[in-house]
Amino acid sequence: MSLPILVTGGTGRLGARVVARLLEAGAPVRVLTHSKAGPGGATLVPGDLTTGAGIDAALAGVGTVVHCAGSAKGDEAMTRTLVAAAERAETRHIVYISVVGADRVPVTGRLDRMAFGYFAAKRAAEQVLEESGVPHSILRATQFLESMLLVARQLAKSPVIPAPTGSRFQPVAVDEVAARLVELALGEPAGLVEEMGGPTAYLTDELVRGYLAAMHRHRLFVPFRMPGKAAAAVRAGAILTPDHATGVKTWEELLAAEAH
């Protein structure tokens, strides 16, 4: 029987899809959780990557970890806690989800950190893995279609919508990213693998206008130019990966499903 696969962040948007796909593949799955609730079919194990409580026990006997837990603050520290425990447990493989542009978006000033701190956090977590002795695979993906939908939905609540000029996104479906993570988890450690992006890049206002049209709404747009080096890098295409537009589901398809 194969060793269990531990999924951190296994109750989140991406992690839940990873768990579901691993179970479909017949893999024994553990989900690191703060609560007693979780996906059926998986073994729930208590643990906290912030404090380190329960992590050693959660990793006992685990062959692979799919690390989906993370945030703009504390991601590096949580990854460091996980890696230290994985080294003690002699874990064979950690699969980590990062973001396209982690190494290309300069987060140096205060404004950069406020708007784009997520990219710096992801790169710092990558470096923890790279400098460790734990075999690993790192997948950088673009923003999720489903996350962009939440942003568009929130912006649409306002009668006036701020639209940063020149900022393009290449959203990819979360389930497609989950499928790639599962493929990596069931394979051998591969280091930094090819990036993954959606099929099409859109300006921010194109995404929101598409949502408004699908919902039969109208709003006033106010364009503005975001300051800072990070924003300039985003305008220059740092968070796009046109050579790896392997995603299939489009923004228009998501909106069509949302409208029905």
Side-chain angles (χ1 to χ4, degrees):
M1 183 177 178
S2 59
L3 294 174
I5 297 175
L6 176 69
V7 181
T8 73
T11 58
R13 182 179 294 114
L14 174 62
R17 290 306 308 153
V18 168
V19 170
R21 283 187 166 272
L22 284 171
L23 290 172
E24 289 169 6
V29 182
R30 294 181 189 175
V31 175
L32 188 70
T33 179
H34 291 282
S35 66
K36 297 180 180 179
T43 300
L44 305 183
V45 292
D48 189 334
L49 286 170
T50 303
T51 64
I55 303 304
D56 284 320
L59 279 167
V62 164
T64 297
V65 177
V66 184
H67 185 28
C68 296
S71 63
K73 292 183 179 180
D75 203 10
E76 177 184 2
M78 286 191 292
T79 302
R80 197 174 297 282
T81 297
L82 177 66
V83 165
E87 289 175 331
R88 291 190 293 271
E90 298 183 350
T91 301
R92 299 176 182 177
H93 190 188
I94 294 180
V95 179
Y96 180 60
I97 179 65
S98 188
V99 63
V100 169
D103 61 336
R104 301 195 292 267
V105 176
V107 181
T108 56
R110 180 167 160 269
L111 288 175
D112 295 335
R113 287 191 295 272
M114 287 176 61
F116 300 99
Y118 177 73
F119 291 86
K122 284 295 185 183
R123 179 58 190 141
E126 287 182 3
Q127 290 174 316
V128 170
L129 275 170
E130 291 165 355
E131 294 165 4
S132 76
V134 180
H136 60 271
S137 301
I138 298 172
L139 172 65
R140 292 174 179 163
T142 54
Q143 286 69 33
F144 298 144
L145 282 168
E146 293 79 0
S147 298
M148 300 308 296
L149 178 61
L150 292 177
V151 172
R153 190 182 292 153
Q154 187 64 34
L155 288 172
K157 293 179 181 180
S158 172
V160 179
I161 297 177
T165 56
S167 298
R168 289 184 178 272
F169 297 89
Q170 189 183 339
V172 63
V174 67
D175 191 55
E176 293 173 3
V177 176
R180 178 62 176 134
L181 288 174
V182 168
E183 182 180 31
L184 292 170
L186 297 178
E188 295 298 318
L192 182 63
V193 301
E194 287 189 350
E195 297 177 339
M196 184 175 185
T200 308
Y202 305 85
L203 289 167
T204 306
D205 69 306
E206 289 175 333
L207 289 166
V208 182
R209 289 181 194 278
Y211 172 79
L212 291 171
M215 299 299 111
H216 306 289
R217 300 180 190 174
H218 299 277
R219 295 290 188 271
L220 175 66
F221 283 75
V222 178
F224 73 98
R225 187 177 181 85
M226 289 188 68
K229 293 180 179 179
V234 169
R235 286 192 294 272
I239 64 173
L240 305 179
T241 184
D243 293 337
H244 301 100
T246 53
V248 175
K249 190 172 184 179
T250 67
W251 180 242
E252 290 76 17
E253 289 170 337
L254 181 66
L255 293 180
E258 179 75 4
H260 288 86

